[in-house]
Amino acid sequence: MASSPMTSSSQSPRPPRPNLAFRRLRGQRSPGEFAAAVRRAAREIEEQVSCDARYIGRVEAGEIRCPNYAYERVFLHMFPGRTLTDLGFVPRSAVRGRGARTAEVAPAPHTTSPLYAPHETDGAYEPYVATHGTHDSHDPYHPYDPHENDDQDHEESDVQRRAFMSGGTATVAAASLSPWGLAFGSAAAAAEHPVRRAGEAEAGALEEAVRKIRLLDDRHGADGLYRRAAAPLRSAYALLDAGAARQATAERLHTGAGELAISVGWLAHDSGRFDDARSHYAEALATARVAGDPALEAHAFCNTSFLARDAGRPREAVRAAQAAQYAARPLGSARLLSLLSLREAGGWAGLADRTGCEQALTRAKALYGRGPCDADPEWMSFYGDAELAGLEAQCWSTLGDWPRAAHQARRATRLQDPHFTRNLALYTAELADDLARAGHPDEAAAAGLRVLDLLDEVQSSRVQTMLAGTARVLLPHRRASGVSDFLERHGALPRTA
């Protein structure tokens, strides 16, 4: 099987050096027992790691020269008073896989940055609570774990093996993109004429598949699309595995595969499959790092932040949004930075930090006011006045300011192009819930009925979950005008798994 040109040029010739210090810390425990201890320590500090005996073996063999930030926090919790160096690891700056690129897009001066030092800045460990006069210290471009999965020194081939879902020739892979209207003939016909490397046609098909999925999601929601999107995603990574004869084509394939992973991740996210979404977003992030693509990295972190907020991890939402802003800063798109600031605002709201939320909202509006430009990513076509109002409504709702949330949600419904049915349903569902909690059951029921009218066209677990919450709030008001009609129609909906 032909390999990507990037792989052969990125191999590190140095053999790993065993981590004897870490082995001594394990003592008489088996790798499996020590891995269990790591997982227990992670739970103690509310961190998430998937440590097993194989991971411990890789650390002791020197294959993992510096752990990601999650493992770093766990190890330092297990061995207080020690540094990563004491544990046998090398500084994070020594294992960066993107040294050349980070040098070109260095951030504004910092005394400390996780890109350039083995530890996060001091503020990263502080609790995110509302305080007076402290939020100016929160740098919106402070990166969040930008090398979380960089276990080995420049070993991009290993990253690719973890990220790429399957192998196969370029032609067979392209043939299986046909569920999205991108027919290249049958797989059998493709097998008769194998192509060793992907070309412009396959790259174009991949990009078109991404556009098609986004269009269908805008119109109909995610629930009916997610399962169908799995095959094109596998095919996309098969195209990457086949490689490309030209570097420009290889770059298009990396970007296309990463964007498709994000799109499929969003379908999982919007249909309530949070674990699947997290996996797809991580895959896109790995692809971005392999390709050295800051635009793709910003997009992956953007969606990771949104997912973290919805999954009840607001601190992660803030950090991921900040990392996205760091990656996006050199790209020249004020609208992109505006959206990422809104993602950060959502995280601050989840932390009940009104000051941080308001500052991020103010920054988002100022950046949005600069207007669109040629540098705006294609995937941001959804981001306009309505989305800005809708995301602000979600922030106020999370903070419990129902009147302000309802005001912004109403603006969003009025500003939304009715062609994008899914977003119209989402904003109207937000409005219904905010009105119900603000003490306007009749208006809430009317908005809820409008959402129910849209469900014939939209299949979104997110919208249905919001409606279910609204129905619970309205139950004590069933005698108010229109509420009983809404509750009856909502109760007749088929139950989702």
Side-chain angles (χ1 to χ4, degrees):
M1 179 173 61
S3 60
S4 169
M6 295 185 65
T7 302
S8 60
S9 64
S10 304
Q11 297 280 5
S12 173
R14 295 176 298 177
R17 179 178 299 176
N19 187 336
L20 300 180
F22 196 90
R23 174 62 187 88
R24 285 192 294 270
L25 290 170
R26 176 162 65 86
Q28 298 301 313
R29 289 173 287 186
S30 70
E33 291 170 335
F34 192 73
V38 172
R39 295 194 299 272
R40 285 195 299 271
R43 289 194 293 271
E44 291 172 2
I45 60 174
E46 299 182 349
E47 191 56 86
Q48 292 184 342
V49 296
S50 300
C51 189
D52 56 15
R54 179 177 177 273
Y55 179 89
I56 300 301
R58 293 182 65 207
V59 171
E60 294 180 357
E63 295 178 12
I64 299 175
R65 301 175 61 218
C66 184
N68 66 30
Y69 287 158
Y71 275 107
E72 176 183 347
R73 287 187 282 271
V74 175
F75 291 151
L76 296 184
H77 171 68
M78 293 177 69
F79 304 104
R82 289 184 168 92
T83 67
L84 282 183
T85 303
D86 296 333
L87 302 181
F89 296 108
V90 301
R92 195 171 304 282
S93 56
V95 296
R96 294 201 312 268
R98 298 180 300 167
R101 185 166 71 81
T102 52
E104 293 174 359
V105 293
H110 282 284
T111 56
T112 319
S113 169
L115 275 177
Y116 304 102
H119 301 288
E120 292 182 88
T121 56
D122 295 338
Y125 290 101
E126 296 300 321
Y128 292 82
V129 295
T131 55
H132 296 287
T134 62
H135 281 280
D136 288 343
S137 66
H138 290 292
D139 182 353
Y141 305 117
H142 188 289
Y144 161 84
D145 204 352
H147 297 284
E148 184 177 7
N149 296 316
D150 288 355
D151 289 336
Q152 295 171 287
D153 184 18
H154 293 240
E155 294 194 5
E156 292 174 340
S157 60
D158 278 358
V159 177
Q160 285 179 322
R161 281 193 289 272
R162 290 194 299 271
F164 297 162
M165 297 175 64
S166 63
T169 67
T171 304
V172 172
S176 65
L177 290 171
S178 58
W180 302 101
L182 303 171
F184 292 89
S186 68
E192 294 176 2
H193 304 284
V195 177
R196 295 187 62 83
R197 292 183 180 273
E200 296 295 317
E202 289 78 15
L206 182 52
E207 293 161 354
E208 185 59 31
V210 174
R211 296 187 188 101
K212 186 86 169 184
I213 289 176
R214 288 173 183 162
L215 177 62
L216 290 172
D217 175 53
D218 286 340
R219 291 180 176 174
H220 305 295
D223 285 16
L225 301 175
Y226 175 61
R227 296 300 184 190
R228 294 170 56 200
L233 182 58
R234 285 192 295 269
S235 300
Y237 281 98
L239 288 173
L240 266 186
D241 199 46
R246 301 178 60 185
Q247 182 62 26
T249 304
E251 291 174 358
R252 287 179 63 190
L253 288 172
H254 273 92
T255 299
E259 291 291 348
L260 185 58
I262 291 172
S263 292
V264 176
W266 167 248
L267 296 179
H269 180 175
D270 195 43
S271 57
R273 300 173 174 93
F274 287 178
D275 289 342
D276 288 355
R278 188 178 180 89
S279 176
H280 290 309
Y281 292 159
E283 183 175 46
L285 186 58
T287 304
R289 290 168 177 170
V290 168
D293 187 337
L296 180 59
E297 183 173 349
H299 192 185
F301 270 129
C302 175
N303 280 42
T304 298
S305 175
F306 198 13
L307 174 64
R309 188 208 71 171
D310 286 353
R313 298 190 298 269
R315 194 180 320 285
E316 179 184 338
V318 170
R319 290 179 172 177
Q322 290 172 344
Q325 290 170 74
Y326 178 85
R329 192 178 187 183
L331 301 178
S333 170
R335 284 285 170 92
L336 175 56
L337 290 172
S338 172
L339 175 61
L340 300 177
S341 296
L342 284 170
R343 295 285 187 249
E344 182 183 341
W348 289 124
L351 289 164
D353 190 335
R354 190 182 186 98
T355 302
C357 180
E358 288 179 342
Q359 289 182 351
L361 285 174
T362 299
R363 187 168 67 248
K365 292 176 183 178
L367 288 163
Y368 185 84
R370 297 182 188 178
C373 69
D374 292 340
D376 295 340
E378 180 182 351
W379 60 266
M380 283 188 60
S381 59
F382 70 92
Y383 185 50
D385 295 344
E387 182 73 4
L388 176 62
L391 291 176
E392 183 176 356
Q394 292 174 15
C395 289
W396 296 124
S397 178
T398 302
L399 289 169
D401 193 335
W402 312 118
R404 293 183 75 170
H407 172 71
Q408 292 298 331
R410 197 186 304 276
R411 285 190 66 239
T413 61
R414 291 172 177 170
L415 292 168
Q416 179 59 52
D417 182 347
H419 178 74
F420 296 102
T421 314
R422 182 259 176 200
N423 278 3
L424 182 60
L426 177 65
Y427 301 148
T428 309
E430 175 71 36
L431 174 62
D433 195 63
D434 294 335
L435 288 169
R437 297 175 190 276
H440 303 287
D442 51 345
E443 295 181 64
L449 287 168
R450 293 198 296 273
V451 179
L452 291 173
D453 290 338
L454 294 171
L455 291 186
D456 289 339
E457 302 177 54
V458 176
Q459 297 179 21
S460 171
S461 293
R462 175 188 297 272
V463 171
Q464 294 193 28
T465 299
M466 293 172 70
L467 279 182
T470 302
R472 287 192 294 270
V473 175
L474 289 178
L475 273 174
H477 308 279
R478 60 174 59 88
R479 294 185 180 180
S481 175
V483 172
S484 60
D485 290 343
F486 167 72
L487 292 175
E488 183 177 348
R489 282 189 59 187
H490 180 264
L493 288 176
R495 300 296 95 182
T496 56

